[in-house]
Amino acid sequence: MESLVSMVYLFILLSLLQCLNFGPAAAVAHAGNGDGVQPLSKIAIHKAVYALHENASVKAHPLVLGVKGGDSDWVTVEVECPKPSEDDWVAVFSPANFNSSTCPPTEDMQQFPYICSAPIKYKYANDSNAEYNKTGKASINFQLINQRADFSFALFSGGLSDPKLVAVSNVISFVNPKAPLYPRLSQGKSWNEMTVTWTSGYNIIEAVPFVEWGQKGESQTRSPAGTLTFHRNSMCAPPARTVGWRDPGFFHTSFLKDLWPNSVYTYKLGHKLLNGSYAWSKSYSFKSSPYPGQDSLQRVVIFGDMGKAERDGSNEYSNYQPGSLNTTDQLIKDLKNIDIVFHIGDITYANGYISQWDQFTAQVEPIASTVPYMIASGNHERDTPNSGSFYDGNDSGGECGVLAETMFYVPAENRAKFWYSTDYGMFHFCIADTEHDWRQGSEQYKFIEKCLASADRQKQPWLIFAAHRVLGYSSSYWRDGTFAEPMGRESLQGLWQKYKVDIAFFGHEHNYERTCPVYQSQCMNMEKSHYSGVVNGTIHIVVGGGGSHLSGFGPFQTSWSLYNDSDFGFVKLTAFNHSSLLLEYKKSSDGKVYDSFTISRDYRDVLACVHDGCEPTTLGS
Ligand SMILES: [Fe+2]
């Protein structure tokens, strides 16, 4: 029995270690910028044992949350422990019942494990009250979001690695745990369609989901929504299949069609219950997209690798994605001046701890409910060994793409193949999926070529390529003698050049870097900040400093790297018209611009013949 137990521990430990990204980024992470470890993965919850103490207690209040209609609320947890210690910690469990009766059936259920689901967050008792070690008393505040189930709080001794359950609290709950929440907008498959995806606890057999919407101030109509969910057996590996599993609820998507361009719409999420009553969300609004090619001011924000953090200081607050809340807050502050957002992979870093996806959608709700929040797939969404991902690590913690593909809509033919195109006025975007094969001859390569070729450059002069891993250039990369993912640039630079891609964006490296207009590692233009004339190379931007622990840069000086910064930030693109584009790199700490350049050019400059980018001509006339 004991050897079996050790084997299970070893397996869990190995699985958890596999979740970590030990790439060069992790190796050069700056001190104080996080440790790159999912905090929930530090908890050896399978090892938890009983150490209940009759004089220890945990009491949580208020008993009912969200009485004023909010989707989040504060809870005070009073802890009393006769034998306090500095590694005592308080876990938040949801659902409230976390004992072994909730464990999935296994062959070895006699004594072990006692607990088989990770908490949704935790705090050390003495973080809130420095005197806790002496007095054994602490008053700890948690901010909870509505996550479709009730909550309880548990005091553990023994630290995270050897947890001993000392006391469990009363149960608390939101007024309506099933409420429709956290809407995410996305561009549909055509320019005049907006999709709204949200999360609720209502299955289709108990309520009919819909969106009530219309132009602001005018009569509102109702559109139906489709419903999806998934189960534990859709997860590919631990911890998503084991301690990280949590019922995800239901995901509803409604397609708002035939929108008038540039118009403000209001919308509300609804569920019609079998008894005829309704459950409603609050009211939201968005501005519909411009007609493709339309000449008007258009503003796009792009970043990768943002992740989440807890505003109440839980989960060691700043250790995992220390820049995440700053980035979120800067975008919210500037939201009136943003039209569409691209989060190009490494979305939540839940890494198989499913509860974290709710918390991420709550964090970005002010943004995602107001402008299209377009995502790309990264290693932390997709990669799991033997699951068809191009890379064989377990950076997704066993999610193997299911969470990202179900909780967010993207206008892909098949969301499990996470590549798509989308138009926004004068922009044409081709979003690739680095976690699936992109090499010449692959299904994705054909898509990328078709997508790039489909931009009518007179109407859509700004052609943008984006993907998660660096397929172009990054000075923080030096693997197999390349500054990018092996084979990436070799496979795709011909397409970028042939179709005269203006800018290629990447994440994965947690920093900012900008190149010259480059082709085959050569600068095609010596200008540094005001580009004009023909498109003779693509400008590559790494913008992976959305929030996760920062990456440094390697020791190599290259001719193509014009600006780099190891800090948290994001990029804003502003198209003023068909011939004028501005790129700004802003830091998340203050929202100010630290790097920028402009592109000014006419249609004939895009058409002009450049090296490896000429249209065929004949001598006939
Ligand atoms: Fe990544």
Side-chain angles (χ1 to χ4, degrees):
M1 171 74 183
E2 218 169 84
S3 65
L4 180 65
V5 169
S6 320
M7 289 280 288
V8 173
Y9 289 154
L10 185 66
F11 178 67
I12 294 165
L13 185 67
L14 287 173
S15 305
L16 294 178
L17 285 173
Q18 278 187 327
C19 308
L20 312 181
N21 179 2
F22 286 121
V28 293
H30 289 187
N33 279 320
D35 60 9
V37 179
Q38 162 60 260
L40 297 177
S41 75
K42 298 176 184 172
I43 305 171
I45 201 70
H46 270 100
K47 286 176 75 175
V49 293
Y50 272 126
L52 294 175
H53 195 293
E54 59 181 354
N55 294 327
S57 68
V58 184
K59 290 176 190 151
H61 61 89
L63 297 181
V64 183
L65 308 175
V67 284
K68 291 180 188 153
D71 308 331
S72 77
D73 218 334
W74 285 90
V75 177
T76 303
V77 178
E78 312 283 357
V79 174
E80 280 199 46
C81 181
K83 281 196 207 163
S85 151
E86 64 173 4
D87 60 359
D88 287 359
W89 54 287
V90 175
V92 183
F93 284 96
S94 179
N97 179 9
F98 59 90
N99 68 29
S100 57
S101 69
T102 65
C103 295
T106 70
E107 288 165 9
D108 176 29
M109 279 293 293
Q110 289 148 12
Q111 303 248 325
F112 175 86
Y114 169 67
I115 300 171
C116 51
S117 55
I120 60 169
K121 58 162 82 177
Y122 65 88
K123 277 187 185 183
Y124 286 100
N126 66 2
D127 279 357
S128 303
N129 299 62
E131 297 291 298
Y132 171 77
N133 286 349
K134 293 181 204 150
T135 65
K137 290 185 180 173
S139 178
I140 304 167
N141 294 320
F142 286 100
Q143 188 177 30
L144 301 184
I145 61 159
N146 194 348
Q147 283 184 272
R148 303 172 305 285
D150 49 10
F151 301 88
S152 65
F153 304 81
L155 174 67
F156 288 92
S157 63
L160 303 179
S161 56
D162 198 14
K164 298 177 180 62
L165 181 61
V166 178
V168 181
S169 79
N170 52 305
V171 173
I172 65 170
S173 178
F174 274 86
V175 174
N176 178 12
K178 294 187 173 189
L181 294 170
Y182 318 130
R184 287 85 78 182
L185 298 173
S186 164
Q187 301 250 97
K189 284 186 179 152
S190 63
W191 70 271
N192 57 354
E193 176 179 294
M194 189 71 82
T195 70
V196 190
T197 300
W198 73 96
T199 310
S200 87
Y202 291 114
N203 196 349
I204 47 171
I205 55 168
E206 54 186 326
V208 177
F210 64 93
V211 173
E212 187 169 279
W213 63 287
Q215 289 206 36
K216 191 178 177 185
E218 297 187 14
S219 68
Q220 307 285 295
T221 183
R222 288 182 183 179
S223 289
T227 298
L228 294 171
T229 188
F230 53 87
H231 302 282
R232 188 193 289 256
N233 61 359
S234 289
M235 302 291 98
C236 294
R241 247 182 119 94
T242 55
V243 293
W245 173 254
R246 185 176 185 274
D247 187 320
F250 299 95
F251 308 107
H252 315 281
T253 298
S254 186
F255 298 82
L256 315 185
K257 293 173 187 286
D258 297 326
L259 302 181
W260 295 49
N262 322 307
S263 304
V264 176
Y265 284 83
T266 50
Y267 70 100
K268 251 163 80 171
L269 317 170
H271 292 263
K272 186 175 183 184
L273 280 69
L274 293 182
N275 65 8
S277 67
Y278 289 87
W280 290 106
S281 73
K282 55 191 174 196
S283 191
Y284 302 91
S285 70
F286 66 85
K287 191 175 158 198
S288 54
S289 302
Y291 183 67
Q294 175 188 298
D295 192 327
S296 61
L297 182 68
Q298 290 152 18
R299 299 149 305 180
V300 180
V301 161
I302 305 181
F303 57 87
D305 310 80
M306 184 167 81
K308 61 167 278 285
E310 297 289 334
R311 290 187 194 275
D312 65 4
S314 292
N315 301 3
E316 300 162 44
Y317 183 59
S318 60
N319 260 357
Y320 196 29
Q321 283 98 43
S324 172
L325 292 178
N326 273 354
T327 303
T328 302
D329 292 346
Q330 289 298 349
L331 297 181
I332 293 170
K333 226 161 121 183
D334 196 35
L335 205 50
K336 281 195 169 60
N337 302 308
I338 296 170
D339 297 310
I340 184 169
V341 166
F342 288 83
H343 183 162
I344 55 172
D346 287 2
I347 310 295
T348 64
Y349 292 85
N351 296 6
Y353 291 88
I354 311 294
S355 61
Q356 305 302 289
W357 280 86
D358 285 315
Q359 296 177 15
F360 177 82
T361 53
Q363 180 181 312
V364 299
E365 188 206 65
I367 307 164
S369 64
T370 308
V371 298
Y373 196 91
M374 312 302 294
I375 65 166
S377 180
N379 49 311
H380 284 280
E381 281 70 63
R382 181 61 185 84
D383 294 4
T384 298
N386 196 29
S387 72
S389 53
F390 197 37
Y391 299 86
D392 219 25
N394 192 21
D395 293 345
S396 81
E399 291 176 14
C400 53
V402 175
L403 275 291
E405 293 154 18
T406 314
M407 288 189 69
F408 283 81
Y409 180 85
V410 291
E413 280 302 307
N414 172 355
R415 283 194 265 169
K417 295 173 181 175
F418 221 105
W419 50 78
Y420 62 91
S421 67
T422 193
D423 293 311
Y424 197 90
M426 297 175 286
F427 290 95
H428 183 69
F429 294 94
C430 297
I431 309 298
D433 172 5
T434 51
E435 311 315 301
H436 284 105
D437 195 356
W438 62 79
R439 292 170 300 177
Q440 201 155 9
S442 65
E443 186 183 354
Q444 182 171 195
Y445 184 93
K446 291 188 190 99
F447 160 80
I448 293 170
E449 174 145 35
K450 194 172 157 211
C451 180
L452 297 175
S454 67
D456 172 349
R457 301 299 289 274
Q458 191 277 320
K459 296 171 186 61
Q460 297 177 307
W462 311 117
L463 179 55
I464 308 294
F465 176 89
H468 177 64
R469 291 177 190 250
V470 180
L471 301 177
Y473 301 81
S474 163
S475 298
S476 53
Y477 237 88
W478 186 254
R479 290 179 192 166
D480 301 338
T482 171
F483 280 97
E485 289 293 349
M487 306 177 290
R489 195 163 63 231
E490 291 76 3
S491 302
L492 294 172
Q493 64 184 349
L495 293 183
W496 297 327
Q497 186 73 359
K498 179 178 177 187
Y499 294 101
K500 296 166 182 164
V501 171
D502 294 289
I503 309 176
F505 289 97
F506 305 96
H508 197 57
E509 291 304 315
H510 303 158
N511 53 35
Y512 171 79
E513 186 169 22
R514 159 165 81 95
T515 74
C516 58
V518 62
Y519 179 50
Q520 294 177 334
S521 302
Q522 303 294 315
C523 285
M524 306 303 284
N525 186 335
M526 289 304 132
E527 173 56 44
K528 297 210 162 142
S529 53
H530 298 290
Y531 298 99
S532 58
V534 298
V535 189
N536 51 8
T538 297
I539 296 172
H540 290 251
I541 310 268
V542 173
V543 61
S548 196
H549 62 282
L550 293 170
S551 311
F553 294 97
F556 303 98
Q557 295 297 316
T558 65
S559 57
W560 43 257
S561 181
L562 295 189
Y563 185 98
N564 65 42
D565 185 30
S566 182
D567 203 350
F568 302 110
F570 55 92
V571 155
K572 185 173 180 183
L573 282 172
T574 304
F576 296 101
N577 52 49
H578 284 75
S579 58
S580 180
L581 182 75
L582 167 68
L583 179 141
E584 296 168 300
Y585 161 62
K586 298 183 174 196
K587 280 190 198 276
S588 302
S589 53
D590 58 11
K592 292 188 176 145
V593 177
Y594 285 80
D595 183 38
S596 68
F597 65 85
T598 60
I599 303 177
S600 310
R601 74 161 95 86
D602 293 331
Y603 180 44
R604 64 177 182 175
D605 300 322
V606 185
L607 295 180
C609 182
V610 297
H611 185 61
D612 287 349
C614 286
E615 290 292 324
T617 54
T618 79
L619 291 176
S621 59

